């Protein structure tokens, strides 16, 4: 098993609330990506952080934001929750920012968020 | 825009039969293709990538740029191959990976 961990495992929030999801990357991995996986869909790229800076973003609104810390942990924050935000949120860490290298993304187990 | 299409939601095959999981992509640049697998109660993990040209657990995949396809194949299915398989496309610059909707492979004993 990989060293990527996520907390909490499950979370229930109501519409309009804010949520923070946490990820602890594999040791030494300076790149973390976050994905949203709705039921029956593949993971959808939210954004990537490299050395504590956002390095790329998918088609998600600004109310999705993140932070990466020097200790290889990171957060995904979602403000003004909507019902459609209900999904599994995955983080993935890697040694490289680029998919062109042979470095692999290692995924965490995910946090399942339910917005009521 | 990047897009990955996996036309089959479910593929059922008998043990020992050949397997082909289809994947087509749309991308204007030079594509990097991956197959990820998720076994029951396990996390998503990389199975193989086209740049490695390797066979993992008996699976192979060939990038066909003319047909924009990256189908996953295995000559003889085994029960332990039952899992969810995702085809994914990387853009190279950073680890933005576009995933397909996945195909559930069910190997019937």
């Amino acid at each position: 098993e990989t060293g990527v961990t996520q907390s909490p495992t499950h979370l229930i929030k109501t519409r309009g609330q804010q949520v923070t999801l946490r990820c602890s990357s594999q040791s030494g991995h300076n790149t973390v990506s976050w994905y949203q996986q709705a039921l029956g869909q593949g993971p959808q790229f939210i954004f990537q952080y490299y050395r504590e800076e956002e390095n790329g973003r998918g088609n998600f609104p600004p109310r999705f934001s993140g932070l990466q810390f020097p200790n290889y942990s990171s957060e995904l924050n979602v403000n003004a929750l909507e019902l459609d935000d209900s999904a599994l949120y995955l983080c993935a860490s890697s040694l490289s920012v680029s998919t062109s290298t042979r470095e692999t993304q290692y995924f965490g187990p995910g946090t399942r968020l339910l917005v009521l | 825009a990047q897009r990955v299409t996996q036309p089959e939601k479910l593929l059922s095959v008998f043990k020992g039969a050949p397997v082909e999981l289809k994947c087509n992509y749309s991308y204007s640049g030079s594509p990097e293709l991956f197959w990820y697998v998720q076994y029951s109660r396990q996390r998503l993990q990389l199975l193989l990538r086209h740049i490695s040209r390797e066979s993992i657990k008996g699976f192979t995949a060939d990038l066909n740029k003319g047909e924009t396809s990256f189908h996953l194949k295995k000559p003889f299915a085994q029960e332990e191959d039952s899992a969810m398989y995702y085809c994914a496309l990387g853009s190279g610059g950073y680890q933005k990976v576009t995933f397909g909707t996945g195909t559930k492979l069910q190997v019937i004993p």
Side-chain angles (χ1 to χ4, degrees), chain B residues 11-106:
Chain B
L11 181 65
S12 296
V13 301
F14 285 101
K15 178 182 172 182
V19 175
E20 183 178 47
L21 299 171
K22 295 190 186 312
C23 172
N24 287 90
Y25 67 91
S26 174
Y27 182 57
S28 56
S30 184
E32 292 161 7
L33 276 299
F34 307 84
W35 276 99
Y36 281 81
V37 62
Q38 187 166 26
Y39 301 102
S40 180
R41 297 190 184 85
Q42 294 188 27
R43 59 189 68 187
L44 196 61
Q45 59 185 286
L46 179 69
L47 178 63
L48 55 78
R49 69 184 82 200
H50 90 273
I51 60 171
S52 299
R53 297 180 181 274
E54 56 200 344
S55 173
I56 303 292
K57 300 184 179 182
F59 284 98
T60 59
D62 291 318
L63 176 60
N64 186 324
K65 290 187 179 181
E67 295 183 359
T68 59
S69 68
F70 188 58
H71 303 325
L72 183 67
K73 299 177 183 179
K74 184 170 182 176
F76 308 104
Q78 299 175 332
E79 289 180 63
E80 54 265 33
D81 296 329
S82 294
M84 195 74 183
Y85 291 81
Y86 294 95
C87 182
L89 170 66
S91 58
Y94 56 93
Q95 293 266 11
K96 175 184 177 180
V97 180
T98 300
F99 285 82
T101 51
T103 298
K104 183 175 181 179
L105 175 63
Q106 182 180 58

Side-chain angles (χ1 to χ4, degrees), chain A residues 33-90:
Chain A
S33 300
W34 285 90
Y35 293 83
Q36 180 194 67
Q37 187 173 17
L39 204 60
Q41 301 296 316
Q44 196 171 356
F45 179 79
I46 303 175
F47 45 55
Q48 180 188 76
Y49 275 77
Y50 172 66
R51 292 185 176 177
E52 303 167 48
E53 297 282 336
E54 187 178 296
N55 189 47
R57 191 176 186 95
N59 296 326
F60 281 81
R63 60 189 185 84
F64 285 79
S65 63
L67 286 171
Q68 186 185 27
F69 303 102
N71 65 352
Y72 306 118
S73 67
S74 59
E75 290 179 354
L76 165 64
N77 298 288
V78 187
N79 293 322
L81 283 167
E82 300 177 0
L83 299 180
D84 285 349
D85 295 333
S86 295
L88 180 68
Y89 288 86
L90 299 167

